[in-house]
Amino acid sequence: MSEANKDRDTQAELHKYLVEKNINELFVSIVEAILLNRPENPIGFMANYLFEKYPEKTQRIIKSQDEQKMQSLGVECGNTERIASFIESDAESDCSSVNTRETVLTARRRSSDCSSAFSRESIGVNMRQLSAPQVPVRSQRRKSVCAEKITEDVVADSELKVIKKTEAEAARISTILKNNLFLSHLDEHQTKTIREAMFCVEKSDGEVIINQGDKGDNFYCIEEGLVHVFIDSRDCKGGRNKVKTLTSGDSFGELALMYNAPRAATCIAGGEVRLWALDRVSFNVILMKTTMDKRKRMSDFLKNIQIFSQFTEYELLTIADTLQDEAFNDGAVICKQGERGDRFYVVHQGTAVCTKSQNNGTSMEVARLSPGSYFGEIALLTSKPRQATVTAAGDLKCFSVDKDTFDRCLGPLNDILMRSIPPPLV
Amino acid sequence: MAPLECSSIADFDVGKTLGTGSFGRVRFGTHTGTNQHFAIKMLRKRDVIKSNQVEHIKSEKKILQTLSKDQHPFIVNMAAVFQDPCYIYMIIEVVIGGEFFSYLRNAVKFDNQTARFYAAQVVLIFEHLHSMDIIYRDLKPENLLLDREGYLKITDFGFAKIVPFKTYTLCGTPEYIAPEVLLQKGHGKGVDWWTLGILMYEMLVGDPPFLDADPIQIYQQVLQCKLRFTRSYDQDAKSLTKKLLTPDLTKRYGCLKRGALDIKTSHWFDDTDWEALLKRKLDAPIKPTLKSNTDTSNFEAYPEDVEKAVPPEFDGPDPFADF
Ligand SMILES: Nc1ncnc2c1ncn2[C@@H]1O[C@H](COP(=O)(O)OP(=O)(O)OP(=O)(O)O)[C@@H](O)[C@H]1O
């Protein structure tokens, strides 16, 4: 090829680039903004301008630069994959470049995870120097997040779905839910209700389940098959990198259960896949409904207890919040006559038997407690020995609270009881 | 600050942008009738509707109106609120010292006394809000401003809510969200005390305790709640931080029978004169430099927006008709 031809080719290529990337318009808009504002510090201003106007694009560049620099500083250590979750906020353009700073700091934190606090501080200095001049302060503000509001009316009106599953399927889902940090705190009833609401999604080889950047709606558990996880590559060429393959028993997309955020990765079926999905609204409705029902049931129990009859609604709800679930097997002894007690119990499922020992050494049944009955309330007032032994007759579930917790959250029961006694007239 | 008679943006000379938010900007403005200066928070109705935040904005307005009756020294007061086809305008007392956020980032971290001065004001703010059953839910350096004397003013009541006991909608800022919010089991005043713990940590260390580029990773850290303190972290501050960053609500300071008193009487605040603080009689550690009461140089320069506002689209009745 002749020199002239080569030149022409380069020219054409440059021109093509200018047009493709809309460089002209970009510069016009920057100059326009500068002239409109006439900033003292035009360079900082331009940087801010670009950050503000193109949060997504500016962030990617800085991120990858930061990452390179951090690697060259040798601060990267441990597991830097981020695949366990699938939402990465830089995928949506309306979220500002908060992550720039976070990425820098993340590397810091990770590096500190495997070293002492001392080295964390010393690395911190480096990273600050590294990131400060490059990233305008303003671009680092953190955005608030918010879920859609679900009113109590919606909750009251909504019918919970029950989707049929085999026993094996139900067991697998329960295990997945139990092992998920965000769902493991749910009680048995909640886990069951959520499991029942999960619906089946089937995909065949190559089909996209979720797409990076799309709004998140569902959380998924894999029943059967493989799911490949990809993250868009950050270089200018585009394309995406496979970061992980998930399989039966794995789950993904839990951020979608919290609020609407763009997906952080793309998940594609590898072969035939069966998934169980749960959407955010159903999840929230279930959680609200079960939580409110439980709170209501607890405060209904409490209202009927003589010792709490003077309590305000707020105080009853506060007690309800301190109550813990306790389960006992048949024959288990919950408290023993003569021992010091510090817990108060309400039976909410099953039966408990109270016995008292007689002078002749035998013990006699004095009461049977059914749901709504309570025992041990004296323990909230004094640490007198238990007056009877209480044993579970069959499977028994109770709510309970200890004296210290009660005192911390409500103050001494004594003081509350005294409120209803008029002060002496002297 | 007395309520202001005004019903249109035409009553103001609109000046420089002081800050930007999700739905628009906050600008410096002068009421031409009285020559008083204000911050004008302009919210694009279109964006508010699009992101389903109409209820939050209504509640922000209502709460600011309620709070403005008390004129709390550390809470911004609202003088007026009105709308036109495209915007909601909130006319708010201007807090001229600039953003607390910028001061903190410039300093990287604060020394113990400085952090304590600000934390103490936040305690008083929350004590006041909670006494009215208002929870704030979005404490972070970004929502605090410094006034001319260097005292805090809290702004942005977008997530504040009147909640006698519990509420359920997940909201906040990832680094500051409390575990009970993430677990969606209902949350109350306790979330604010959690965020105070995060703020203390961020002031004393320079970063919040739970940090990652990926929100899910932050949330995992929050639920695991492993705290690491730097060597320079004051011991009393550390023990208070731990009491605040306690996932168990029957143990978290601020949520117990004694309420804010547990915090106010903790050792870190041994030398804090709460009354003097509330009366603004203490010397502030950072005093903004100001040439005049219209000097906005403590705010960063923002490119002014040139785009035209577009009226909102909605099906059915105007969601702001009763605003
Ligand atoms: N009273 C005020 N005086 C001076 N500046 C203010 C005032 N109120 C707000 N600002 C500036 O405007 C910025 C945005 O304000 P604010 O947080 O109230 O808006 P927002 O739209 O609710 O934001 P977000 O999207 O973060 O919720 C603040 O960070 C601050 O810089």
Side-chain angles (χ1 to χ4, degrees), chain B residues 45-270:
Chain B
K45 286 183 182 177
R46 192 188 171 81
D47 295 353
V48 174
I49 294 171
K50 242 201 283 180
S51 39
N52 281 320
Q53 297 295 312
V54 176
E55 286 313 312
H56 277 140
I57 300 297
K58 285 186 179 169
S59 131
E60 176 173 13
K61 172 199 137 182
K62 197 169 141 224
I63 285 174
L64 272 175
Q65 275 175 335
T66 311
L67 289 170
S68 298
K69 287 183 199 133
D70 293 315
Q71 307 263 311
H72 192 280
F74 309 142
I75 297 174
V76 291
N77 287 298
M78 187 169 71
V81 54
F82 49 83
Q83 59 177 319
D84 64 19
C86 296
Y87 286 99
I88 298 286
Y89 300 90
M90 296 187 190
I91 308 300
I92 302 172
E93 139 190 41
V94 64
V95 188
I96 201 77
E99 296 186 1
F100 175 75
F101 176 82
S102 313
Y103 290 95
L104 175 56
R105 286 291 177 266
N106 286 341
V108 179
K109 60 182 186 174
F110 288 150
D111 63 43
N112 197 44
Q113 270 127 305
T114 306
R116 180 162 49 210
F117 176 77
Y118 298 124
Q121 292 169 65
V122 175
V123 173
L124 292 177
I125 293 170
F126 285 163
E127 195 181 28
H128 179 72
L129 293 179
H130 293 179
S131 75
M132 308 172 79
D133 281 341
I134 296 170
I135 58 173
Y136 179 73
R137 299 199 288 184
D138 203 15
L139 180 70
K140 55 179 166 180
E142 288 87 328
N143 284 340
L144 298 169
L145 299 163
L146 283 197
D147 67 17
R148 62 181 61 252
E149 277 117 49
Y151 274 71
L152 288 185
K153 290 259 186 200
I154 197 165
T155 171
D156 196 352
F157 282 76
F159 288 163
K161 191 174 177 194
I162 299 174
V163 181
F165 191 66
K166 294 268 148 120
T167 183
Y168 291 84
T169 309
L170 187 153
C171 66
T173 297
E175 287 83 347
Y176 277 75
I177 296 181
E180 68 270 23
V181 180
L182 296 175
L183 297 179
Q184 305 184 64
K185 48 189 182 187
H187 58 270
K189 298 175 180 119
V191 297
D192 284 340
W193 299 118
W194 175 276
T195 59
L196 172 64
I198 305 273
L199 181 75
M200 274 179 71
Y201 190 104
E202 186 166 330
M203 288 193 288
L204 289 165
V205 173
D207 308 323
F210 313 116
L211 186 56
D212 199 287
D214 179 349
I216 275 284
Q217 303 294 335
I218 298 179
Y219 302 151
Q220 278 174 1
Q221 293 176 28
V222 171
L223 296 182
Q224 285 154 354
C225 197
K226 290 207 186 81
L227 293 171
R228 272 164 207 277
F229 293 89
T230 52
R231 283 214 208 143
S232 58
Y233 211 100
D234 177 86
Q235 285 304 313
D236 292 333
K238 182 168 152 183
S239 83
L240 178 58
T241 307
K242 285 183 171 169
K243 288 291 186 190
L244 295 168
L245 297 181
T246 296
D248 184 347
L249 286 157
T250 69
K251 296 197 173 126
R252 186 183 305 161
Y253 271 21
C255 311
L256 310 180
K257 172 65 184 167
R258 283 160 40 94
L261 208 59
D262 282 325
I263 299 165
K264 291 167 91 171
T265 55
S266 82
H267 284 310
W268 197 47
F269 288 122
D270 273 352

Side-chain angles (χ1 to χ4, degrees), chain A residues 141, chain B residues 16-21 24-27 99 299-300 302:
Chain A
R141 271 176 203 127
Chain B
K16 215 182 98 166
T17 298
L18 301 173
T20 57
R25 352 190 112 224
V26 175
R27 289 169 182 267
E99 296 186 1
F299 290 86
E300 283 172 53
Y302 287 81

Side-chain angles (χ1 to χ4, degrees), chain A residues 22 119 143 210 315 323 370 410:
Chain A
N22 228 336
S119 78
K143 283 263 172 189
I210 60 176
E315 283 167 331
L323 294 180
S370 52
L410 289 118

